[in-house]
């Protein structure tokens, strides 16, 4: 619209499609940007709440959480063990370490007792067979 058209009373406007299309495109982009930012903030809040819940939970909660995460990646067993270990109390960790050390120390002794028992059983069976 030029000044001469307005002054003469002849109102000739630009086509509606050419002036409205860029405005609607800008509105669509702004709405999409706003919705994306709002959804992103909401997901970040949920992730933070989930992390707080897992951090405040015990070894079972952390084991389940790590197992689910690892299931999504591939190997849930080892991740669940690591999650249970990271969530365990220091007393429980100490007890597990002591049990493992005890098993390592007593394992050979138990194996020796088993072998000796098998030797005694073989000797008894041989003596019984010879006396018949």
């Amino acid at each position: 619209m030029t000044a001469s058209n307005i002054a003469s009373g002849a109102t000739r406007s630009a086509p509606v499609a050419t002036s409205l299309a860029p405005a609607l495109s800008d509105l669509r982009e702004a709405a999409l940007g706003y919705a994306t930012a709002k959804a992103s903030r909401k997901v970040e809040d949920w992730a933070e709440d989930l992390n707080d819940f897992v951090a405040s939970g015990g070894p079972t909660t952390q084991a389940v959480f790590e197992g689910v995460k690892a299931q999504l990646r591939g190997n849930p067993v080892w991740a669940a063990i690591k999650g249970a270990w990271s969530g365990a109390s220091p007393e429980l960790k100490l007890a597990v370490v002591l049990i493992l050390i005890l098993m390592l120390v007593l394992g050979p002794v138990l194996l020796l007792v088993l072998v000796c028992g098998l030797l005694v059983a073989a000797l008894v069976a041989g003596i019984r067979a010879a006396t018949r």
Side-chain angles (χ1 to χ4, degrees):
M1 286 201 239
T2 62
S4 62
N5 285 346
I6 295 174
S8 68
T11 58
R12 186 173 173 192
S13 63
V16 174
T18 59
S19 63
L20 187 59
L24 288 176
S25 177
D26 291 344
L27 178 64
R28 178 183 52 88
E29 288 178 20
L32 185 61
Y34 175 77
T36 303
K38 190 162 181 104
S40 176
R41 280 192 302 265
K42 195 60 156 172
V43 168
E44 287 174 1
D45 289 344
W46 287 343
E48 186 176 319
D49 291 344
L50 182 62
N51 285 334
D52 291 343
F53 171 73
V54 170
S56 67
T60 305
T61 305
Q62 289 192 359
V64 168
F65 180 70
E66 291 295 328
V68 168
K69 272 189 354 186
Q71 178 65 35
L72 297 175
R73 290 189 206 136
N75 184 9
V77 175
W78 184 245
I81 291 170
K82 288 185 346 185
W85 183 259
S86 69
S89 66
E91 295 84 12
L92 181 61
K93 287 180 181 180
L94 179 64
V96 169
V97 168
L98 289 176
I99 289 171
L100 288 174
I101 290 172
L102 190 63
M103 284 176 52
L104 287 173
V105 169
L106 293 180
V109 174
L110 292 175
L111 182 62
L112 183 63
V113 169
L114 178 66
V115 168
C116 287
L118 289 174
L119 282 174
V120 168
L123 286 173
V124 168
I127 292 171
R128 282 189 181 170
T131 57
R132 284 191 187 181

